[in-house]
Amino acid sequence: MVIGAAAVLAVAGCSSKSTSNSAGGGSGTGLSIKSLVQIDSQGKAVTQTGTAQAADPAGDGKAKCAPTTAIAMAGALTGANSALGINIEDGVKLAVQQHNKANPDCQVQLKPFDTEGDPQKASQVIPTVISDQSVTALIGPAFSGETKATGQIISDAGLPALTSSATNASLTKNGWKTFFRGLANDDLQGPSVAHYLTGAGGFKKICVVQDDSDYGVGLAKSVIAALGSSADESCAAQVKTGDKDFSATVSKLSSAKPDAIFYSGYYAEAAPLVEQLHSAGVSATFVSDDGTNDPQFVKQAGDSSKGALLSCPCGPAPDTFATAYKALNNQEPGVYSVEAYDLTTIVLKAIDAGKVTRPEVLDYVRNYDGQGLARHYKWDSTGELSNALIWMYQVK
């Protein structure tokens, strides 16, 4: 069963014009990822907040700072899921460029660090970030696993770490003092998506497949709990990151004949999985998460990705942002690009206010209360946003 765009938009109560979150077709198919509806924890449609009052990284153009002032970004810039990290780096890059263009006396440096999205590699890279005293704040780490592996040492060093993408709910339960999540966590995403699928989606029987990452395991647990009896335990399956042959899983899913299949993981495995499901004649709607919500999923899966539903705690890119982003990066914004831009803007506002040491930036972020392009940003004492919602997208 594929949810028609018209039906979903009617539920959303919005216009029929879809906005690309992650533009780009796959293998000449002309397919791309389009936003459908913003939903709450019960899967109900919520009107998008306006962006007219969003903070501008350019500020008033009067900022002054030392030429060594820097912001770091850490995430996967190479490797199987590097597109997700590049989306973040490019969002950070745009905010810094707009700031520096408007503020000749405060030229903030961007220092990107490649973790490959791997916890072990991140554990080697993050100490280098921490030791660089020019770095006032970190946008990242990007993935949940690498964040879990490095969060304590980042906190101990007093380095503000604002992630635009690490969504595992347990990350804010470690007592870290410098961690801020710029989007909803998986304990919100899971129920929101589950209730949307069984409500507006009308799916009765759903098979949940998860990878073995901290992200995939945590999100799957949240989805299964919220699906209740709609999650068929007999066809639940686990795969490993790096797998490309899913024949056993495909056979299991094919025999189960579900209405939908929810995959909890990243696009590197989601793409070949959906291709193999399509080749096996499995007609169930493929549903996945922000780890899959990237043009690379469409590019790698081709026509097999058509009709796939993708959730994300990330918002679609506004037109003016998308235009500026493409002009700088020569590609459309992707998942987490807007969040990365917003979080970088908050750090730049701190710098422009004369907060250039880590303790000063940390205090500024802790007390921040303002509108961004993606959402309103205000954090509780654990580093969770006071209010965050989920978006549903579709490949068409």
Side-chain angles (χ1 to χ4, degrees), residues 204-210 220-221 223-238 252-253 256 258 260:
K204 305 297 183 184
K205 180 178 180 179
I206 302 171
C207 298
V208 177
V209 182
Q210 65 185 58
K221 181 179 178 181
V223 169
I224 291 170
L227 284 174
S229 61
S230 295
D232 191 333
E233 294 183 7
S234 69
C235 58
Q238 293 81 39
K252 185 177 186 178
L253 296 171

Side-chain angles (χ1 to χ4, degrees), residues 271-290:
L273 173 60
V274 77
E275 275 192 305
Q276 291 167 42
L277 287 167
H278 186 261
S279 296
V282 178
S283 59
T285 297
F286 187 81
V287 187
S288 194
D289 47 38
D290 48 307

Side-chain angles (χ1 to χ4, degrees), residues 153-197:
I153 61 171
I154 293 173
S155 179
D156 290 344
L159 177 64
L162 297 77
T163 183
S164 61
S165 51
T167 55
N168 184 283
S170 69
L171 296 176
T172 52
K173 300 174 183 178
N174 295 295
W176 300 336
K177 303 301 183 183
T178 65
F179 178 77
F180 301 89
R181 197 196 313 267
L183 68 179
N185 67 44
D186 291 335
D187 278 358
L188 178 60
Q189 182 172 195
S192 299
V193 176
H195 293 144
Y196 177 80
L197 295 178

Side-chain angles (χ1 to χ4, degrees), residues 86 132 375 395:
I86 292 170
D132 186 342
R375 64 188 54 84
V395 178

Side-chain angles (χ1 to χ4, degrees), residues 24 47 177 303:
T47 302
K177 303 301 183 183
D303 286 328

Side-chain angles (χ1 to χ4, degrees), residues 60-107:
D60 61 8
K62 300 177 181 179
K64 295 183 179 182
C65 66
T68 55
T69 305
I71 296 174
M73 174 274 164
L77 301 178
T78 59
N81 292 298
S82 60
L84 301 175
I86 292 170
N87 293 341
I88 295 167
E89 181 190 17
D90 287 349
V92 176
K93 189 189 304 180
L94 177 59
V96 171
Q97 184 214 48
Q98 291 179 343
H99 172 273
N100 289 352
K101 184 177 180 180
N103 295 273
D105 293 327
C106 185
Q107 298 294 291

Side-chain angles (χ1 to χ4, degrees), residues 87-89 91-92 139 164 336-345:
N87 293 341
I88 295 167
E89 181 190 17
V92 176
I139 306 301
S164 61
Y336 314 131
S337 295
V338 181
E339 282 75 13
Y341 176 90
D342 280 347
L343 295 177
T344 305
T345 296

